[in-house]
Amino acid sequence: MSPKITTELLKQLRQVMKNPRYVQEPVQAYIVPSGDAHQSEYIAPCDCRRAFISGFDGSAGTAIVTEQHAAMWTDGRYFLQAAHQMDSNWTLMKMGLKDTPTQEDWLVSVLPEGSKVGVDPFIIPADQWKRMSKALRSAGHDLVPVKENLIDTIWTDCPQRPCKPLITLDLSYTGVSWRDKIVALRSKMAERKVMWFVVTALDEVAWLFNLRGSDVEYNPVFFAYAVIGMNTIRLFIDGDRMMDPAVREHLQLDSTLEPEFKIQVMPYGSILLELQAVGAGLSPKEKVWLSDKASYALTEAIPKAHRYLTPYTPICIAKAVKNTAETEGMRRAHIKDAVALCELFNWLEKEVPKGTVTEIVAADKAEEFRSQQKDFVELSFATISSTGPNGAIIHYKPVPETNRTLSVNEIYLLDSGAQYKDGTTDVTRTMHFGTPSAYEKECFTYVLKGHIAVSAAIFPNGTKGHLLDSFARSALWDCGLDYLHGTGHGVGSFLNVHEGPCGISYKTFADEPLEAGMIVSDEPGYYEDGSFGIRIENVVLVIPAETKYNFKNRGSLTFEPLTLVPIQTKMIDVNLLTEKECNWVNEYHQKCREVVGAELERQGRQAALRWLLRETEPVARVQ
Amino acid sequence: MSPKITTELLKQLRQVMKNPRYVQEPVQAYIVPSGDAHQSEYIAPCDCRRAFISGFDGSAGTAIVTEQHAAMWTDGRYFLQAAHQMDSNWTLMKMGLKDTPTQEDWLVSVLPEGSKVGVDPFIIPADQWKRMSKALRSAGHDLVPVKENLIDTIWTDCPQRPCKPLITLDLSYTGVSWRDKIVALRSKMAERKVMWFVVTALDEVAWLFNLRGSDVEYNPVFFAYAVIGMNTIRLFIDGDRMMDPAVREHLQLDSTLEPEFKIQVMPYGSILLELQAVGAGLSPKEKVWLSDKASYALTEAIPKAHRYLTPYTPICIAKAVKNTAETEGMRRAHIKDAVALCELFNWLEKEVPKGTVTEIVAADKAEEFRSQQKDFVELSFATISSTGPNGAIIHYKPVPETNRTLSVNEIYLLDSGAQYKDGTTDVTRTMHFGTPSAYEKECFTYVLKGHIAVSAAIFPNGTKGHLLDSFARSALWDCGLDYLHGTGHGVGSFLNVHEGPCGISYKTFADEPLEAGMIVSDEPGYYEDGSFGIRIENVVLVIPAETKYNFKNRGSLTFEPLTLVPIQTKMIDVNLLTEKECNWVNEYHQKCREVVGAELERQGRQAALRWLLRETEPVARVQ
């Protein structure tokens, strides 16, 4: 990896920062955040502005360019990568280290008095704007919105914004029609006494209209906004996608409908003007509901007194609770996914000893097996295929420069998943194709104990996921080991592999309570820098539990694993398991046999079936 | 309990709300919060203004009186009590219920347009002021500070503010001189580049100067503020307490000192004027450090741009980490406290069957045994002495109307503690003086398993206490049981029995990481409404742990119980314990025998010693 030479680009950026064509007054600093206008986690190439200006293309980072300086804030996952990808024009600001200044403090320390700091108001979330604006103002500076994105003005070969065809999902996949979703949304709006709801997150637009797209890699979403009134529906979307007869039929664009279900289609770029018009026409007590993470530009379109901001939108919360059609779809998707992985691991077991399988080859092979399954659409994220020391890099993605060959001497960690039309998968297995060391087995077993502790946890209705995080760590902690990431995230249904509002992490507190129908991942790990990485991840469904006393009818919850891929028993030090844990493993494997075995049989995949049967032999503790 | 008749009082209050002698303009509503000017949890009788105006004397509640209405907000602990204590002039606002409006929403719904809402600026914390002021302003009303407390104007027989003599603590108790504490504080101030620090919490003033008082029941504090500059120390305190030669000597008031250690003593009531003078004399970049919970009045004295607000002050954090002198003192205090409780339980065992011991008698007896111990000062909180159904009332305090007689048929729960000159105790034991039912034993054992899970937990340095809360619940959750309070709170060293900034609760997230030397309680419970309450509470010290891999030198922590009182083995269903838990119980009891046994022996308390030895017999599981 050689760094991107950015001298010329920075010179150009500094020129436009003073060019009256783009800025009302010169700005002494310009902020380039990572996101897009929808606060997406995964972004389209045309939105990779921070990577363009700096060379650093990790998933998280904020660049700030002043007349004299160029600085990049990123977190521990990316210190090495950012240092490699950026040239000497850039200063790396290592977030989380004690001596690293915040963006605000740094700006205050380098800017001349009374400076203007510019940012694209469509990219910066309103809450971040507020924080930064306040800090700058108190030091005598101003945060100013720069309408035209300054990176775009110098990015001559910037790719076009994608505008790919849409997929319509019928009731068998979604369980609820978009009309009924609108009805439910309006009833939530009425409950909170708001008259308008602005849908800004891409997965929320997709979910609401039962549509999917492929504008962003891995996430089946499309660029659009929606504004839902009590009697109107406006969908802001570009291109001739609305010409597709299937889409027109699905959205009933040509039918005679009650006016309140008539969708008005408008250009993507007209959202701001339309929202400003909504804002201008509000009667005194009328409120508009927005996510508090919506962009500053859209939030500002609504006068302050009329804003109703919440961290999680009613769509985000409704989307998280899967209905029967969705959970059944997720089950099917996970069975197909397990078939693909049984094939893969059976193949790896034979091929790895030959020394010809690299991380990239293994990742490609995993995709090949997945793509053979019905309704496969694409991967759900970049496959983490890592062996030996690469496994300790938590967000590793193999590239030719780092590509290692799998061997019988090293642990192999595969974290991968796919989008099927009926569901989204995300599974991690850690395998050894030779003989693991006692230490490797010990660590693996603690991780497994943590995985089971969460998966088998019983907890009262209304418990927030973050309260379960320590269960995943307890066995590791007892021996002085830990892992520095959360334990689980929400998973969409043929949607984003990471979604809110629930999760299992020591880092959040504002997560919504878990309820039956929610789907999260359970993925504790252990990482030994320079040696190996271990992670065991299942996607699990929140289901009612049966308990002796049932919390005085408050109700109990637990998890059901949707992922049904064998956990390598060779890696388990069975005597470190309790009897309960041992039974969990055997029952889990029994279910893999029954459910996935039947599908392998049906698909005539005999070799993979034999592998499955062997890998799911019961384990027993030596008494 | 008959309600307080408040018709006349409310009439008087409504008059002064319009009286130009007290308010610049009439106020249409007046807020009466629970607190004092120091945001104390326990308050002096003269500060019980909310109880005076409403009759409701629970520890938490806010009264709001308008021309037409009088409403009281309180939480689930106090719904019943408030309903009993208040007459029909009052509307009870049950916090936490879905349909209960917030104070702001309620005010907006009842006030005429453009109303003024008054509050004592010394009583309302700045952060609450900000929130309420914003909400009222956005609805066209104004929150206004009313300098003279309006309750005080109508409270003709209001008790005087206490002004009791001070106790000086020498190095053998505090480990660090007040001079060295000032030096450390100034170094924290220099780190954050602040020039002034305002000490507003009573326990922080007491800790800083190594003084104690008795102005507030249970909390050995005294009414005072302090303002620490880089070169000045101002102590705001009333009465002739500063005439006491011991205090003068302790504070070196008559010695020739370097000017930066010379304490200027000023009247308690002059804090605002002095702080305003400090605020007026600040140079452009000079900052003043305040708790963000300090009163609105004091916070406003400092111009906004000069405020440096944090949720926890450097004193709060330093105070939480006990030094060797303090932990040794705490150990001694807990041994003495255990002696008193062994005496008590031995006595109860003999007396209860006679049917003459009531909850109040038992509480008094506990105090009597404690008061026989060296350096006993007072109780550290109102003793919770509860039997049978009263045990299910979490914050129960026996009064003649509720006083039950202990019997051999009901569970008895005693949550009590004391202030000794060398430390503060807080211990809960749940006992049965007859034969507990299988169900009672089952519940007790789950609570015990939770207690042990926290007490024996090993976790990495830097872990926040709230991450341990679920450990205390896991065994209960497995059977569908739970308890609706946190698991632990910080404990002061001959100071407040509840102190920040650390604790073990699902409810907080802003707690500071646990570190060696901190002291918290570990007190899971289970409550069966109308039947019984179970709680097992030890005060525990955070200590370094030894682990196999030691978190790559990040270091490990665990807890050491300071409380050494037998846990009634009769209540344990030993077969529900794991072997590890069983060993924990036996080792804990072994330590009680050794440490407390020796002290009982030394004090010649043979009967109690025999009781201790019998109660600490090892338990064993039936294999």
Side-chain angles (χ1 to χ4, degrees):
Chain A
M1 255 192 286
S2 60
K4 177 167 180 168
I5 303 306
T6 59
T7 311
E8 188 50 37
L9 283 176
L10 287 171
K11 200 173 133 195
Q12 289 173 20
L13 176 60
R14 285 169 179 141
Q15 273 161 4
V16 294
M17 281 162 62
K18 291 179 288 196
N19 187 335
R21 205 170 128 190
Y22 304 116
V23 290
Q24 287 188 311
E25 283 186 82
V27 297
Q28 283 71 44
Y30 188 66
I31 304 175
V32 188
S34 304
D36 64 10
H38 305 270
Q39 286 66 56
S40 307
E41 183 191 4
Y42 291 79
I43 56 178
C46 62
D47 287 317
C48 297
R49 299 182 181 96
R50 186 251 301 149
F52 167 75
I53 190 66
S54 69
F56 166 54
D57 66 0
S59 73
T62 299
I64 303 186
V65 176
T66 68
E67 307 264 341
Q68 309 284 338
H69 306 275
M72 175 70 68
W73 280 258
T74 191
D75 63 60
R77 293 174 294 171
Y78 293 117
F79 291 166
L80 264 180
Q81 181 181 337
H84 281 140
Q85 293 184 320
M86 298 192 307
D87 69 11
S88 60
N89 287 301
W90 290 85
T91 307
L92 178 57
M93 296 293 188
K94 298 182 173 180
M95 289 165 69
L97 300 198
K98 223 182 87 189
D99 294 331
T100 304
T102 64
Q103 292 162 27
E104 295 89 330
D105 285 349
W106 181 79
L107 278 168
V108 169
S109 74
V110 302
L111 287 177
E113 288 207 4
S115 285
K116 307 257 176 242
V117 177
V119 67
D120 181 340
F122 268 96
I123 305 296
I124 190 166
D127 56 349
Q128 272 180 41
W129 170 284
K130 198 173 159 187
R131 201 172 53 242
M132 177 154 280
S133 172
K134 198 175 156 186
L136 290 175
R137 204 165 43 237
S138 83
H141 307 295
D142 260 328
L143 185 63
V144 297
V146 180
K147 269 189 196 160
E148 190 140 4
N149 190 294
L150 296 185
I151 302 296
D152 294 358
T153 66
I154 61 167
W155 193 353
T156 46
D157 57 347
C158 174
Q160 280 240 305
R161 184 161 300 279
C163 195
K164 307 242 180 87
L166 302 183
I167 304 171
T168 63
L169 291 184
D170 65 32
L171 275 181
S172 67
Y173 291 106
T174 67
V176 180
S177 70
W178 63 261
R179 267 182 73 133
D180 288 345
K181 287 181 178 178
I182 296 273
V183 170
L185 173 62
R186 283 182 178 146
S187 114
K188 286 277 169 207
M189 287 160 61
E191 240 174 53
R192 309 285 186 103
K193 302 194 180 91
V194 297
M195 302 299 287
W196 301 90
F197 179 79
V198 187
V199 197
T200 54
L202 298 183
D203 63 335
E204 296 190 15
V205 180
W207 179 86
L208 182 61
F209 292 103
N210 292 335
L211 291 171
R212 297 293 186 269
S214 52
D215 288 355
V216 179
E217 197 178 11
Y218 307 125
N219 291 177
V221 296
F222 51 93
F223 284 101
Y225 292 101
V227 177
I228 313 300
M230 291 313 267
N231 299 299
T232 56
I233 303 172
R234 292 178 210 171
L235 179 59
F236 299 82
I237 187 167
D238 271 349
D240 41 14
R241 312 197 255 204
M242 287 297 127
M243 295 297 104
D244 178 342
V247 173
R248 295 194 76 77
E249 165 77 26
H250 175 83
L251 295 178
Q252 297 177 267
L253 293 181
D254 306 308
S255 318
T256 321
L257 276 178
E258 306 93 301
E260 69 267 30
F261 294 112
K262 193 84 198 157
I263 298 174
Q264 299 166 258
V265 178
M266 299 182 155
Y268 177 71
S270 68
I271 175 73
L272 183 59
L273 275 175
E274 286 296 327
L275 206 56
Q276 283 167 337
V278 165
L282 295 169
S283 53
K285 293 216 159 178
E286 242 173 81
K287 297 256 181 192
V288 179
W289 197 339
L290 285 145
S291 160
D292 66 2
K293 277 155 218 75
S295 70
Y296 174 73
L298 296 190
T299 308
E300 277 298 294
I302 305 302
K304 206 168 167 183
H306 294 276
R307 288 177 212 156
Y308 184 80
L309 305 181
T310 56
Y312 298 114
T313 71
I315 297 189
C316 173
I317 293 169
K319 174 165 63 63
V321 184
K322 274 71 178 174
N323 60 42
T324 313
E326 289 171 321
T327 50
E328 286 312 309
M330 286 294 267
R331 273 186 228 282
R332 287 196 305 274
H334 280 83
I335 296 168
K336 294 183 286 188
D337 212 56
V339 165
L341 286 189
C342 289
E343 283 281 14
L344 176 75
F345 291 131
N346 178 48
W347 181 83
L348 284 177
E349 207 175 81
K350 293 197 183 72
E351 299 299 319
V352 167
K354 299 180 190 162
T356 52
V357 182
T358 65
E359 292 166 343
I360 294 179
V361 167
D364 291 346
K365 199 76 191 174
E367 181 165 3
E368 183 191 323
F369 282 123
R370 282 190 163 106
S371 69
Q372 293 165 4
Q373 294 298 314
K374 186 170 168 251
D375 280 344
F376 170 85
V377 179
E378 61 172 332
L379 298 186
S380 56
F381 58 97
T383 298
I384 300 175
S385 169
S386 56
T387 188
N390 288 342
I393 304 165
I394 294 171
H395 287 86
Y396 179 77
K397 177 194 162 181
V399 289
E401 292 86 340
T402 62
N403 196 18
R404 264 178 102 81
T405 301
L406 277 63
S407 86
V408 294
N409 302 315
E410 287 182 343
I411 287 182
Y412 176 63
L413 183 157
L414 180 75
D415 184 351
S416 61
Q419 300 286 0
Y420 302 89
K421 229 178 131 180
D422 40 12
T424 304
T425 66
D426 180 0
V427 45
T428 309
R429 287 295 180 267
T430 305
M431 318 281 283
H432 203 293
F433 298 104
T435 307
S437 73
Y439 179 59
E440 287 166 340
K441 287 174 69 175
E442 183 186 358
C443 294
F444 183 94
T445 308
Y446 296 145
V447 173
L448 176 62
K449 286 166 86 81
H451 179 94
I452 296 171
V454 170
S455 196
I458 289 174
F459 47 93
N461 233 328
T463 301
K464 292 183 170 193
H466 73 263
L467 292 170
L468 309 179
D469 184 78
S470 299
F471 290 157
R473 299 176 199 275
S474 182
L476 285 161
W477 281 358
D478 279 345
C479 288
L481 303 176
D482 194 14
Y483 56 96
L484 298 177
H485 58 74
T487 301
H489 53 80
V491 179
S493 177
F494 183 29
L495 259 182
N496 296 359
V497 74
H498 297 159
E499 68 169 27
C502 55
I504 303 174
S505 173
Y506 63 96
K507 281 182 273 186
T508 44
F509 194 58
D511 50 333
E512 289 284 311
L514 293 171
E515 51 179 297
M518 284 180 166
I519 293 179
V520 294
S521 70
D522 169 14
E523 46 178 317
Y526 176 69
Y527 310 91
E528 185 103 353
D529 273 351
S531 302
F532 62 82
I534 292 167
R535 187 161 61 249
I536 303 172
E537 176 186 25
N538 280 352
V539 168
V540 295
L541 172 68
V542 182
I543 57 167
E546 279 178 31
T547 59
K548 200 165 168 188
Y549 302 115
N550 201 32
F551 298 98
K552 297 175 182 154
N553 299 322
R554 186 172 156 206
S556 319
L557 297 173
T558 186
F559 298 110
E560 175 199 328
L562 296 178
T563 305
L564 293 173
V565 177
I567 294 164
Q568 197 177 37
T569 52
K570 183 204 279 184
M571 285 290 291
I572 304 175
D573 182 342
V574 184
N575 287 315
L576 292 177
L577 298 183
T578 64
E579 199 184 322
K580 224 170 126 186
E581 289 162 344
C582 202
N583 293 341
W584 187 95
V585 170
N586 290 334
E587 283 161 24
Y588 178 71
H589 279 157
Q590 181 58 31
K591 192 165 174 195
C592 292
R593 270 190 182 196
E594 285 167 14
V595 178
V596 180
E599 181 64 17
L600 283 165
E601 185 80 57
R602 208 188 58 76
Q603 294 191 17
R605 297 175 183 269
Q606 292 303 332
L609 176 57
R610 279 192 300 277
W611 178 88
L612 171 71
L613 294 176
R614 201 199 62 218
E615 286 292 307
T616 51
E617 282 291 334
V619 294
R621 299 193 303 160
V622 180
Q623 289 299 333
Chain B
M1 255 190 288
S2 61
K4 174 167 183 168
I5 304 305
T6 59
T7 311
E8 189 50 37
L9 282 177
L10 287 170
K11 201 173 132 195
Q12 288 173 18
L13 177 59
R14 284 168 180 140
Q15 275 161 2
V16 293
M17 282 163 60
K18 290 180 287 199
N19 186 336
R21 205 171 127 190
Y22 304 118
V23 291
Q24 285 189 312
E25 284 185 83
V27 298
Q28 284 71 45
Y30 189 66
I31 305 175
V32 188
S34 303
D36 64 8
H38 305 270
Q39 286 67 55
S40 306
E41 183 191 5
Y42 291 79
I43 57 180
C46 61
D47 287 316
C48 297
R49 300 181 179 96
R50 185 249 305 149
F52 167 76
I53 190 67
S54 69
F56 166 56
D57 67 359
S59 73
T62 298
I64 303 186
V65 177
T66 68
E67 307 264 341
Q68 309 283 339
H69 306 274
M72 175 69 67
W73 280 258
T74 190
D75 62 63
R77 291 173 294 170
Y78 293 116
F79 292 165
L80 266 179
Q81 180 180 335
H84 281 141
Q85 294 184 320
M86 298 192 306
D87 69 11
S88 61
N89 288 300
W90 290 85
T91 307
L92 177 57
M93 297 294 188
K94 298 181 172 179
M95 288 165 70
L97 299 197
K98 222 182 87 190
D99 294 331
T100 305
T102 63
Q103 293 162 26
E104 295 89 329
D105 286 348
W106 180 80
L107 278 168
V108 170
S109 74
V110 302
L111 287 177
E113 289 208 3
S115 286
K116 308 255 175 245
V117 178
V119 68
D120 181 340
F122 267 96
I123 305 297
I124 189 166
D127 56 349
Q128 273 180 41
W129 170 285
K130 197 174 160 185
R131 202 172 53 243
M132 176 150 286
S133 173
K134 197 176 156 184
L136 290 175
R137 204 166 42 238
S138 83
H141 308 294
D142 260 327
L143 185 63
V144 296
V146 179
K147 267 187 199 162
E148 192 141 0
N149 191 294
L150 296 186
I151 301 297
D152 294 358
T153 66
I154 62 168
W155 193 354
T156 45
D157 57 345
C158 175
Q160 280 241 306
R161 183 162 301 281
C163 196
K164 307 241 182 87
L166 302 183
I167 305 173
T168 61
L169 291 183
D170 65 33
L171 275 180
S172 68
Y173 292 105
T174 66
V176 180
S177 70
W178 63 262
R179 268 183 73 133
D180 287 345
K181 288 182 178 178
I182 296 273
V183 170
L185 173 62
R186 284 181 177 146
S187 113
K188 285 279 172 206
M189 288 160 63
E191 239 175 54
R192 308 286 186 104
K193 300 193 181 93
V194 297
M195 301 298 288
W196 299 90
F197 178 80
V198 186
V199 197
T200 54
L202 298 184
D203 63 335
E204 297 190 14
V205 180
W207 179 86
L208 182 61
F209 292 103
N210 293 334
L211 291 170
R212 296 295 186 269
S214 52
D215 289 355
V216 179
E217 198 180 9
Y218 307 126
N219 291 176
V221 296
F222 51 93
F223 285 102
Y225 293 100
V227 176
I228 312 301
M230 291 312 267
N231 299 300
T232 57
I233 304 172
R234 293 179 210 170
L235 178 60
F236 299 81
I237 186 165
D238 269 352
D240 42 14
R241 313 197 254 203
M242 288 296 128
M243 295 298 102
D244 179 341
V247 173
R248 296 195 73 79
E249 164 79 26
H250 174 83
L251 295 178
Q252 297 178 265
L253 293 181
D254 306 308
S255 319
T256 320
L257 276 176
E258 307 93 301
E260 67 267 32
F261 293 112
K262 192 84 198 157
I263 299 175
Q264 300 166 256
V265 179
M266 299 181 156
Y268 176 69
S270 69
I271 175 74
L272 183 60
L273 275 176
E274 286 296 325
L275 206 54
Q276 284 167 337
V278 165
L282 295 168
S283 52
K285 294 214 160 179
E286 242 172 81
K287 298 256 182 194
V288 178
W289 197 338
L290 285 145
S291 160
D292 66 2
K293 277 155 220 77
S295 70
Y296 174 73
L298 295 190
T299 309
E300 276 299 293
I302 305 303
K304 205 168 170 185
H306 294 276
R307 288 177 211 155
Y308 184 81
L309 305 179
T310 55
Y312 299 115
T313 70
I315 296 190
C316 174
I317 294 169
K319 175 165 62 64
V321 183
K322 274 71 178 172
N323 59 43
T324 312
E326 289 170 322
T327 51
E328 286 311 309
M330 286 293 267
R331 273 185 228 281
R332 285 196 306 273
H334 281 83
I335 296 168
K336 292 184 285 188
D337 211 56
V339 166
L341 286 187
C342 289
E343 284 281 14
L344 175 76
F345 291 131
N346 178 49
W347 181 84
L348 284 176
E349 209 175 78
K350 295 197 181 74
E351 300 298 322
V352 167
K354 302 179 187 161
T356 52
V357 182
T358 65
E359 293 166 343
I360 294 178
V361 166
D364 290 346
K365 199 75 191 172
E367 182 165 2
E368 183 191 324
F369 283 123
R370 282 191 163 106
S371 69
Q372 294 165 2
Q373 294 299 313
K374 185 172 170 251
D375 279 344
F376 170 85
V377 178
E378 61 173 333
L379 298 185
S380 57
F381 57 97
T383 298
I384 299 175
S385 169
S386 56
T387 187
N390 288 342
I393 303 165
I394 294 171
H395 287 85
Y396 179 77
K397 179 194 161 179
V399 289
E401 292 87 339
T402 62
N403 196 17
R404 262 179 105 78
T405 301
L406 276 63
S407 87
V408 294
N409 302 315
E410 287 181 343
I411 288 181
Y412 176 63
L413 184 158
L414 179 74
D415 185 351
S416 60
Q419 300 286 1
Y420 301 90
K421 227 179 133 182
D422 41 12
T424 303
T425 66
D426 179 1
V427 47
T428 310
R429 285 296 179 268
T430 306
M431 318 282 284
H432 204 294
F433 298 104
T435 307
S437 73
Y439 179 60
E440 288 167 339
K441 287 174 67 175
E442 184 187 357
C443 294
F444 183 93
T445 308
Y446 297 146
V447 173
L448 176 61
K449 286 166 84 82
H451 179 93
I452 297 171
V454 170
S455 196
I458 289 172
F459 47 92
N461 231 328
T463 300
K464 292 181 169 195
H466 73 263
L467 292 170
L468 309 179
D469 183 77
S470 298
F471 290 157
R473 299 176 199 275
S474 182
L476 285 160
W477 281 358
D478 279 347
C479 286
L481 303 175
D482 195 14
Y483 56 96
L484 298 178
H485 58 74
T487 301
H489 53 80
V491 178
S493 176
F494 183 30
L495 260 181
N496 297 357
V497 74
H498 296 160
E499 66 167 29
C502 54
I504 302 175
S505 174
Y506 64 97
K507 283 182 271 185
T508 43
F509 195 58
D511 50 332
E512 288 285 309
L514 293 171
E515 49 180 296
M518 284 179 165
I519 292 179
V520 295
S521 70
D522 169 14
E523 46 178 318
Y526 175 70
Y527 309 92
E528 188 104 352
D529 272 352
S531 302
F532 63 83
I534 292 167
R535 186 160 64 249
I536 303 172
E537 175 187 26
N538 281 352
V539 168
V540 295
L541 171 69
V542 182
I543 57 167
E546 277 178 31
T547 59
K548 199 164 168 189
Y549 302 117
N550 200 32
F551 299 98
K552 295 175 186 157
N553 298 322
R554 188 174 155 203
S556 318
L557 297 173
T558 186
F559 297 110
E560 175 199 327
L562 295 179
T563 305
L564 292 174
V565 178
I567 295 165
Q568 198 178 37
T569 52
K570 183 205 277 183
M571 286 291 289
I572 304 175
D573 182 344
V574 185
N575 288 315
L576 292 176
L577 297 182
T578 63
E579 200 186 320
K580 225 170 125 185
E581 288 162 345
C582 203
N583 292 340
W584 186 94
V585 170
N586 290 334
E587 283 161 24
Y588 179 71
H589 278 159
Q590 181 57 31
K591 192 165 173 194
C592 292
R593 273 189 180 199
E594 287 167 12
V595 177
V596 180
E599 181 65 17
L600 283 165
E601 185 79 57
R602 208 187 58 77
Q603 295 192 16
R605 296 173 182 272
Q606 292 302 331
L609 176 60
R610 280 192 301 275
W611 178 88
L612 171 71
L613 293 176
R614 200 198 63 221
E615 286 292 307
T616 50
E617 282 290 333
V619 294
R621 299 191 303 158
V622 180
Q623 290 299 334

